[in-house]
Amino acid sequence: MTALERNASERRPLTVLDLGSGTGRFSDALADTFGGPVYGVEPSARMREVAAAAHPHPAVTYLDGRAESIPLPDNSCDLSVMFLVLHHIEHRMLGVKELARVLKPGARLCVHSGFSGQMHDHVWYRYFPRAREVDDMVFPRLDEVIAQFAEAGLGYVGLDQVDQQVAASLPAYFERFRHRSFSTLQHMSEEEIAEGMAAMQEAARRAEGAPPEPVIQTADLLVLERLDA
């Protein structure tokens, strides 16, 4: 939220689009931070149900939609946030045009994503030797993304970097990781996954008796702005 605040307009309240809101991980925090209505747009009905139950907030509304079809009026949002969503968009140029449509002139778009060729050193890369190569294949190139958004009228503002604590310790990180929720694993063989999981589990086991070291992950936050129509 601190990174989003420093890259958004200082005006309050702000109407926020949480595109690809999933289970509502950030939606209620966005409402509290920016003081206005938040629209969590998510194509999965099950995820919307979980979000509404787990993160109820009077200022948050969860809507059925996707990047290519956002159920909001033209020029209706002051800020949009995309957290690890960009590489899942099937028709990216359609999604880019939809974002340009719903954002007001001067509104900001903050895109949390990896970018091919410049992936940060994630902890799990130590245990899955081919993971960086796979992520370079899965995530788009930064220059290509900037060019696509520019074509739709969203200009480049900057690339912020955010250090996030993703787990309190390596054992806690492995407990989360073993559920295979990382989409990169879908592009790896079962043999690679089994070997990587075993290596990470062994490292987590060895770390159990030591003082916990938080797992810090650096993330890129691409910031763009809707130019005057």
Side-chain angles (χ1 to χ4, degrees):
M1 291 303 113
T2 300
L4 294 175
E5 274 196 294
R6 68 173 173 253
N7 286 293
S9 167
E10 294 181 359
R11 179 175 54 81
R12 298 290 183 273
L14 298 182
T15 298
V16 182
L17 165 62
D18 184 5
L19 183 59
S21 52
T23 56
R25 178 179 178 185
F26 298 113
S27 302
D28 52 351
L30 288 168
D32 291 337
T33 300
F34 296 105
V38 171
Y39 297 98
V41 173
E42 168 58 46
S44 168
R46 177 57 184 156
M47 285 191 174
R48 293 196 308 273
E49 290 173 6
V50 172
H55 302 281
H57 194 292
V60 177
T61 303
Y62 294 104
L63 301 171
D64 180 11
R66 59 182 63 244
E68 300 91 338
S69 181
I70 301 172
L72 292 172
D74 296 357
N75 303 317
S76 58
C77 297
D78 303 295
L79 174 68
S80 181
V81 176
M82 298 171 64
F83 188 88
L84 292 178
V85 170
L86 186 64
H87 62 294
H88 290 299
I89 298 175
E90 186 175 357
H91 303 289
R92 192 184 308 143
M93 201 60 221
L94 290 177
V96 168
K97 290 178 179 178
E98 270 290 87
L99 279 161
R101 178 185 67 79
V102 302
L103 290 173
K104 300 175 183 177
R108 291 284 176 90
L109 167 64
C110 293
V111 182
H112 175 293
S113 180
F115 295 102
S116 179
Q118 56 190 75
M119 303 300 299
H120 294 282
D121 289 322
H122 302 318
V123 169
W124 72 289
Y125 286 173
R126 302 172 192 171
Y127 311 103
F128 295 80
R130 205 170 62 86
R132 185 189 294 273
E133 176 188 337
V134 172
D135 276 346
D136 279 336
M137 175 189 71
V138 169
F139 287 95
R141 288 178 54 88
L142 178 61
D143 57 349
E144 293 175 351
V145 172
I146 291 173
Q148 284 184 318
F149 278 106
E151 185 178 340
L154 287 157
Y156 175 76
V157 175
L159 188 69
D160 201 349
Q161 289 191 345
V162 185
D163 289 334
Q164 304 168 267
Q165 179 176 314
V166 295
S169 65
L170 183 59
Y173 185 72
F174 173 71
E175 180 60 28
R176 172 183 156 201
F177 195 92
R178 71 183 184 86
H179 296 291
R180 299 172 59 153
S181 59
F182 288 61
S183 59
T184 302
L185 296 176
Q186 298 172 10
H187 302 272
M188 303 178 76
S189 70
E190 286 299 322
E191 182 179 358
E192 286 178 301
I193 294 171
E195 290 177 356
M197 288 290 186
M200 187 187 289
Q201 185 176 27
E202 175 58 22
R205 185 192 64 77
R206 292 196 305 268
E208 284 179 352
E213 293 186 19
V215 178
I216 306 297
Q217 183 168 298
T218 300
D220 284 328
L221 189 70
L222 172 62
V223 184
L224 304 122
E225 184 172 300
R226 179 71 171 97
L227 305 177
D228 290 341

